[in-house]
Amino acid sequence: MGQKIKTKCLIIGSGPAGYTSAIYASRANLKPIEYCGMQTGGQLTQTTEVENFPGYPQGVDGNQMMMDMREQAERFGADIRDGIITECDFSAAPYKCKTDEGDEIEADTVIIATGASAKYLGLPDEEKYRGMGVSACATCDGFFYRKKTVAVVGGGDTACEDALYLAGLAKKVYLIVRKPFLRASKVMQERVKSTENIEILFEHNTLGLFGQDGVEGAHLVYRKGEADEEKRDIAIDGFFLAIGHKPNSDVFAKWLDTDEVGYIKTIDGTPKTKIPGVFAAGDVADPTYRQAITAAGSGCKAAIEAERFLLAQGK
């Protein structure tokens, strides 16, 4: 049977946004309770090396960085718990949330930092080679593929952006596109087509990946299911997914405004949502940047806003 819990500040999610808001909320003496969610530490725990977070000149393992942030939050008194928020009621303050263990929480403020999950093709090989050549973040991991050959999967703006970014580092970039055309904006299409070391493979699907100690190539099929279907292999060192992200916002969608993909809409560049005292930080509210540093920054803002909100309420 779950517990009944009251808190001034409930933090949902445990990536850079959640942990940073826990650090700030704890130091403001809000005694926050933070639920880690499905993936303790968030997306960064899927990344081997983080090289672009300030303060780590030699780079840092993604898991290690998240453990450091957690330890810092706990040092200031954050109550960090395992558990997933499965229901919430933002109809009136104090706001009510339930966990998968049956805990019922009443919170004066709520910081939503549940992140977004990269979409994968669903191939077993993606799991097998995750962190060994498979990545869903070109700006995080592209640096490791300087002068190498990589493939990007997708046909939208994100895929084209990733391909262009990687083209500046890699020797060659394959852009694997399921359809016979790119969905990206005209300007992005033109840039990709005019970049010498990008080769677009239209009407190609990925069947699998191969390699000994990491990705060495991909098995593709051209015009799958058609009379002229043809299988081919390409030699690559890295395989980048760019088929979108799914914000983890379903539990809150009834109460908050989201865009068509599911990103929580916030007010005028702040972490405030349309419900007073409910804030959104990190990738769940950021379709644009999706970096650890921007998530951490928005977690800081959310905690400061929560503190100000409570002060104005006299709490």
Side-chain angles (χ1 to χ4, degrees):
M1 191 60 195
Q3 310 165 272
K4 285 197 173 351
I5 300 158
K6 288 191 172 186
T7 181
K8 282 184 176 182
C9 180
L10 169 65
I11 299 166
I12 307 171
S14 60
Y19 285 146
T20 304
S21 56
I23 291 166
Y24 275 78
S26 301
R27 293 185 79 248
N29 206 27
L30 304 187
K31 299 184 172 62
I33 296 175
E34 177 177 11
Y35 280 89
C36 285
M38 275 189 292
Q39 190 177 29
T40 301
Q43 287 184 84
L44 276 190
T45 58
Q46 303 289 311
T47 306
T48 42
E49 193 84 359
V50 179
E51 291 199 324
N52 54 7
F53 199 93
Y56 291 99
Q58 303 306 316
V60 61
D61 175 81
N63 277 292
Q64 185 60 52
M65 188 166 113
M66 290 301 94
M67 285 194 289
D68 289 348
M69 283 193 185
R70 179 180 179 136
E71 203 178 302
Q72 195 172 354
E74 286 177 329
R75 180 186 151 210
F76 296 116
D79 180 349
I80 301 177
R81 307 180 177 196
D82 289 332
I84 299 164
I85 301 296
T86 53
E87 285 177 53
C88 63
D89 180 352
F90 295 159
S91 58
Y95 303 116
K96 295 170 186 65
C97 293
K98 274 188 184 169
T99 74
D100 54 342
E101 296 287 313
D103 291 349
E104 292 180 23
I105 306 134
E106 272 195 10
D108 296 320
T109 60
V110 178
I111 296 172
I112 298 165
T114 45
S117 304
K119 290 182 188 168
Y120 285 81
L121 296 171
L123 305 170
D125 290 341
E126 288 171 320
E127 203 53 57
K128 179 181 171 184
Y129 294 107
R130 193 174 286 193
M132 296 164 61
V134 171
S135 170
C137 183
T139 48
C140 313
D141 298 328
F143 184 77
F144 302 114
Y145 297 93
R146 282 184 305 173
K147 307 278 187 283
K148 294 186 175 180
T149 301
V150 297
V152 176
V153 181
D157 276 337
T158 304
C160 288
E161 266 178 43
D162 286 1
L164 288 163
Y165 175 79
L166 291 164
L169 298 162
K171 181 174 64 181
K172 182 177 177 76
V173 179
Y174 289 104
L175 185 56
I176 303 168
V177 186
R178 218 167 23 121
K179 298 192 165 147
F181 57 87
L182 291 171
R183 283 182 296 107
S185 57
K186 281 277 177 281
V187 72
M188 291 304 283
Q189 290 188 39
E190 290 313 312
R191 279 186 200 155
V192 165
K193 286 171 182 172
S194 62
T195 303
E196 273 181 30
N197 61 337
I198 298 177
E199 184 181 337
I200 307 174
L201 303 175
F202 286 116
E203 295 185 86
H204 279 74
N205 281 286
T206 308
L207 297 174
L209 303 167
F210 59 90
Q212 281 294 100
D213 301 316
V215 172
E216 290 173 18
H219 300 299
L220 307 180
V221 58
Y222 172 66
R223 287 177 61 79
K224 190 179 180 182
E226 300 297 324
D228 56 350
E229 175 182 307
E230 189 187 317
K231 289 181 177 166
R232 63 176 292 202
D233 289 351
I234 55 170
I236 53 170
D237 304 291
F239 185 77
F240 287 85
L241 281 301
I243 51 176
H245 282 73
K246 165 95 177 70
N248 304 317
S249 62
D250 291 356
V251 178
F252 317 106
K254 178 181 173 185
W255 307 102
L256 303 175
D257 291 336
T258 60
D259 70 7
E260 64 280 1
V261 181
Y263 287 99
I264 294 172
K265 289 184 177 177
T266 54
I267 297 164
D268 299 336
T270 72
K272 296 175 185 176
T273 68
K274 72 173 185 181
I275 295 178
V278 176
F279 308 96
D283 286 17
V284 75
D286 176 14
T288 312
Y289 301 106
R290 295 197 303 267
Q291 298 297 303
I293 190 74
T294 49
S298 69
C300 156
K301 291 181 192 175
I304 291 171
E305 290 290 358
E307 184 193 2
R308 287 176 180 167
F309 176 82
L310 289 165
L311 278 172
Q313 304 273 306
K315 290 180 178 168

